[in-house]
Amino acid sequence: MDSMVRNPDVKQRDAAQAVVVAVSSDAIFDPEVEQVHGATEPLRKGDAFSFMKAIQVVNERLLTLNSDETLLFDVILLSNDSEEKHSRIIASAKHYGLDIGRFCFCNKEDSIESLQSNEVKLFLSMDTNDVCKALQKGVPAALLYHQTDPNHQTEDQLKVVFSGDVIGSSEEMLHGLREQGFTETQLQGFKTAKGSVKEFAILMGEMRRRFGLEGSPLCTGLMTVWSSRDVCASALKTLRGWGLLVDEAFCLAGAPRSPILNLGFIGNTMKSSTYVKEGRDYSMYYGLEV
Amino acid sequence: MNLDPVQVMKGQSNPKDPTAAPVTASSNGDGKGAWEEKEEFDQGHLGLTTKPLLPKPENAVTIAVSSRVLFRTETEQKVYEQKGVEEYLRYQVEHENEPFAPGPAFSFVKALEAVNARLRELYPESEELFDIVLVTYNHAHVGVRLINTINHHNLFIERFCMTGGSSPIGYLKAWQTNLYLSADAEKVREALSEGIAAATMFMSNKLTEVSQTQLRVAFDGDAVLFSDESERIFKAQGLDGFFQHERDNEDILLDRGPLKDFLASLGKLQKKFYAKGHRLDCPIRTYLVTARSAASSGIRALKTLRAWGLETDEALFLAGAPKGPMLEKIRPHIYFDDQMFHVEGAAEMGTVAAHVPYGIAQKHPHKKSLNTGN
């Protein structure tokens, strides 16, 4: 059971045509450690804040090019907060002028269902478990991670970077993982991850094509973290087959990713999903690095 | 907060140990802790079976090359200049399965790989190797063609970034780049101003054969290994003034130049060969090729190097004589000079020369300078 509240300040998108993105409220607004009863001032900005602003810029540019554009980002704020915080969340969104179309308030257990019923194309959260659960149910999701310097993020360009390791993965590579001890369920999970990012990638490809090569508010990229360059090449071709020609490509081959992602000019970044196997954590980088 | 997954792994229990305590993903906000405990995958199963592991940037000598110096891309450049970026990218994709021909930095990169092979033989566990990364402003559309070309030439380049037009300086820094080679002087200048050793390379039609077994790197002295102090004196006070200044300051060290640290990193690798008894047949050889003269102004240069704990295998004091013939004898894989006059002179004789756009010589490129004097 969830309660959906439409934001009266924002023009509602046609959800069937739009790119519906659900963002956890804990990512947009800093989850406060102390609950101050009756507090009314706007919540502090969270780690996804500049990402929200960048989405707004893309939407504005799309509408400038075509005022009847329907391929826009449609943001749902997903909140598991207590009822007394609801109005404060709505008020904070208004205060910052955030382009949030709908607020979805529900219990944690019902989150996945809400995401599914709203046909969310991507779910973003800072909670590893939430992201994992969503992915396992086939909901495309990505983890937002702690940006070290929120002031260093650019707000005028949305950078969406896809994971080459999953997109470029092949049956052969998955077979290798089987030998590493991954179960069939988990391998199936990887395949699901690759499948669920496909739809989002197609949409990003379409959206990217609305803009020219230079000066686009939407910049797309590919990052391969630990696989070889051939996996990267395979990912580039796969994305191309899905209609997405990325602007940037990075192949790290195990080099630390964080210095690259933390650089201010790369803009907002989100982490990938984490696949947890007993005794080990494997980061399967699948989705969005924005 | 150190997010380096490999470093976080150190100190953890052996991930392959099935009895290790399970590491659970912690919730909300602290997710980054568990997330970062990424296991070192057995790279053999990830399509990297035949290739050795790659070093961490802080341990390796990272050499970043751009696509235009590693390969020949003149045809494509023309398409870009004459028909614009869309047509250029379309052309690249269309010719995706045609590998590029080797460019000016190619033989240098091959020589680096040969040194790596020797280092791996002697020190199989060490990460102190050359790490060659491709850093290009190119759009990722060219990515497949570049990867196909790397495969075709059997180069060991696993790391790259194609920035689609944005500045790669941040990535150069993130990867602790020890040397950046590009065809674009602007980008090289930008790198130098950020403290990264860098040089511009040009395609030459004449290329003499270079050694396949020994990496040879030659450096000019002033404004390359050392600061441009002497150039400044020469311009202000002429040749006599320069000589006097050098005599008066013989015991005062010269200041460092942009490639000093790169020479130091080469020296560090050389010592690894010496330690295993390969002094005479060391696969790395360095040269100082300077217009200073041995009897006078050269002394200060040598003293400075010595004080820095650095040395070059050979020091050639030309006392103003042209460098071309000497370089032709040495046959370095790359020669660094701050003056285009010398870079061009070297290229005419078939030496791969790289321009370091540093110091006062850049402001007066055509005027007579110290190195062209007598």
Side-chain angles (χ1 to χ4, degrees), chain B residues 171-226:
Chain B
Y171 307 115
L172 292 176
K173 284 198 201 163
W175 285 346
Q176 300 181 43
T177 304
N178 297 85
L179 179 68
Y180 172 50
L181 299 172
S182 168
D184 187 321
E186 267 316 306
K187 278 121 186 174
V188 169
R189 264 191 280 271
E190 198 189 340
L192 285 173
S193 68
E194 296 281 339
I196 300 168
T200 321
M201 296 189 81
F202 310 90
M203 196 56 227
S204 166
N205 286 318
K206 180 175 181 192
L207 281 176
T208 49
E209 246 183 65
V210 286
S211 168
Q212 302 286 319
T213 52
Q214 185 182 60
L215 170 70
R216 295 182 186 171
V217 184
F219 300 86
D220 174 29
D222 296 287
V224 173
L225 290 178
F226 313 117

Side-chain angles (χ1 to χ4, degrees), chain A residues 240 249 251-252 257 274, chain B residues 35 42 96 151 159-160 162:
Chain A
R240 193 160 69 192
C251 194
L252 302 184
R257 155 183 76 247
T274 302
Chain B
W35 192 87
D42 174 2
E96 197 159 84
N151 285 339
R159 292 184 174 143
F160 49 84
M162 296 169 205

Side-chain angles (χ1 to χ4, degrees), chain A:
Chain A
M1 265 304 285
D2 61 41
S3 94
M4 291 291 284
V5 177
R6 286 182 198 278
N7 187 347
D9 297 326
V10 165
K11 182 175 175 192
Q12 293 300 310
R13 318 272 180 229
D14 177 355
Q17 308 284 340
V19 182
V20 180
V21 175
V23 188
S24 159
S25 63
D26 287 345
I28 300 178
F29 301 119
D30 194 14
E32 292 173 332
V33 178
E34 290 158 31
Q35 278 290 0
V36 179
H37 287 283
T40 52
E41 70 274 11
L43 298 161
R44 278 201 309 268
K45 299 179 190 179
D47 291 335
F49 195 85
S50 55
F51 161 70
M52 288 297 306
K53 284 293 183 182
I55 277 191
Q56 228 152 303
V57 170
V58 174
N59 277 350
E60 278 158 22
R61 287 278 299 270
L62 285 167
L63 287 167
T64 308
L65 289 168
N66 172 11
S67 53
D68 294 325
E69 180 64 75
T70 52
L71 185 69
L72 299 165
F73 283 111
D74 179 13
V75 181
I76 297 176
L77 181 152
L78 183 74
S79 156
N80 302 134
D81 298 280
S82 58
E83 207 172 318
E84 60 180 7
K85 209 171 164 186
H86 293 185
S87 49
R88 197 165 166 211
I89 286 174
I90 296 175
S92 299
K94 182 176 176 152
H95 171 84
Y96 292 112
L98 293 178
D99 188 2
I100 293 173
R102 289 166 281 170
F103 301 91
C104 177
F105 299 107
C106 65
N107 293 325
K108 218 164 160 76
E109 311 84 64
D110 301 326
S111 290
I112 303 287
E113 216 186 291
S114 300
L115 293 171
Q116 287 169 325
S117 60
N118 286 295
E119 296 190 359
V120 164
K121 300 289 189 288
L122 184 71
F123 167 55
L124 299 164
S125 164
M126 293 189 60
D127 187 311
T128 320
N129 287 325
D130 285 352
V131 170
C132 270
K133 276 200 225 115
L135 281 171
Q136 281 163 359
K137 297 279 178 176
V139 176
L143 193 67
L144 280 149
Y145 82 99
H146 183 66
Q147 186 72 308
T148 46
D149 184 4
N151 293 319
H152 220 163
Q153 299 164 359
T154 52
E155 293 184 355
D156 54 1
Q157 189 184 56
L158 180 68
K159 277 199 183 188
V160 178
V161 178
F162 290 84
S163 159
D165 299 285
V166 171
I167 294 173
S169 67
S170 57
E171 272 308 321
E172 197 187 296
M173 182 183 132
L174 292 178
H175 178 72
L177 290 174
R178 189 174 287 123
E179 297 192 347
Q180 291 250 336
F182 278 86
T183 65
E184 286 310 312
T185 319
Q186 287 170 322
L187 292 177
Q188 193 49 48
F190 293 149
K191 288 186 189 164
T192 311
K194 184 173 175 177
S196 56
V197 80
K198 177 176 174 179
E199 202 189 339
F200 191 75
I202 291 174
L203 289 168
M204 285 300 98
E206 258 190 76
M207 205 185 261
R208 180 69 188 84
R209 271 195 297 281
R210 301 280 202 264
F211 305 105
L213 273 171
E214 274 146 18
S216 167
L218 173 64
C219 172
T220 57
L222 177 76
M223 184 176 293
T224 305
V225 178
W226 37 260
S227 302
S228 69
R229 64 180 183 246
D230 292 323
V231 172
C232 188
S234 170
L236 285 169
K237 287 189 218 170
T238 303
L239 285 174
R240 193 160 69 192
W242 293 347
L244 174 56
L245 283 160
V246 292
D247 299 288
E248 306 179 351
F250 305 94
C251 194
L252 302 184
R257 155 183 76 247
S258 42
I260 299 211
L261 296 181
N262 279 339
L263 292 170
F265 63 80
I266 203 169
N268 317 291
T269 46
M270 294 185 282
K271 262 189 188 174
S272 67
S273 58
T274 302
Y275 219 97
V276 179
K277 179 180 154 69
E278 188 194 296
R280 311 179 238 192
D281 269 338
Y282 293 98
S283 295
M284 278 318 271
Y285 230 92
Y286 115 64
L288 268 244
E289 293 249 347
V290 166

